[in-house]
Amino acid sequence: MVSLPPVSHAVVRPGPGWGDGAVVAAEAGVLAGSALLLAGLLARPVGRRVLPYAVGVVTALVIAVLGPLSGGSANPARQFGPALLSGEPGLLWVYGGGPVLGAVVGAGLVAMVRGRRGAGRASVAYSRPGGPPVVPGRP
């Protein structure tokens, strides 16, 4: 009979040689980069048109490149359920904290970049039904 390793409820684990700090840095970097990408694309009409494709490409790259190395979940919810079901919550702080840290860092970087360009310049506009676009903070 062939013995296979247990699946362990699909718990995400880092590859060999990846310590907790490296995984936190990788997860944080992915989310910080994603925040910058989203902010940059949302700031211009052309970017809004390519946004779905850019997000898809970036997600595919994260899965293909980072997944085999660090476990690359880039999504705290992806690790939460499997960690609880398997009884292996040891790395939950890594895969939960890294993306949160990255999102905070990314938001801070976006705020710094927007601050240099002038307050409100990159505000997202929305439309009223039947009316012109409205930019928050402007009449």
Side-chain angles (χ1 to χ4, degrees):
M1 179 182 247
V2 177
S3 176
L4 298 174
V7 173
S8 209
H9 301 284
V11 173
V12 176
R13 291 188 188 93
W18 280 74
D20 293 353
V23 174
V24 168
E27 295 282 321
V30 164
L31 264 290
S34 296
L36 289 170
L37 172 76
L38 289 171
L41 290 175
L42 286 171
R44 305 207 186 294
V46 162
R48 290 185 202 123
R49 285 194 294 273
V50 299
L51 180 66
Y53 308 106
V55 169
V57 167
V58 168
T59 301
L61 286 172
V62 167
I63 291 168
V65 174
L66 201 57
L69 301 174
S70 74
S73 73
N75 177 356
R78 164 62 186 93
Q79 177 65 355
F80 186 70
L84 290 180
L85 289 175
S86 70
E88 297 180 32
L91 290 174
L92 192 55
W93 75 272
V94 171
Y95 291 107
V100 171
L101 175 66
V104 170
V105 168
L109 290 172
V110 168
M112 284 178 18
V113 169
R114 282 186 178 170
R116 281 192 224 147
R117 283 198 239 151
R121 182 171 169 194
S123 295
V124 175
Y126 61 93
S127 296
R128 290 188 181 130
V134 176
V135 177
R138 294 186 185 165

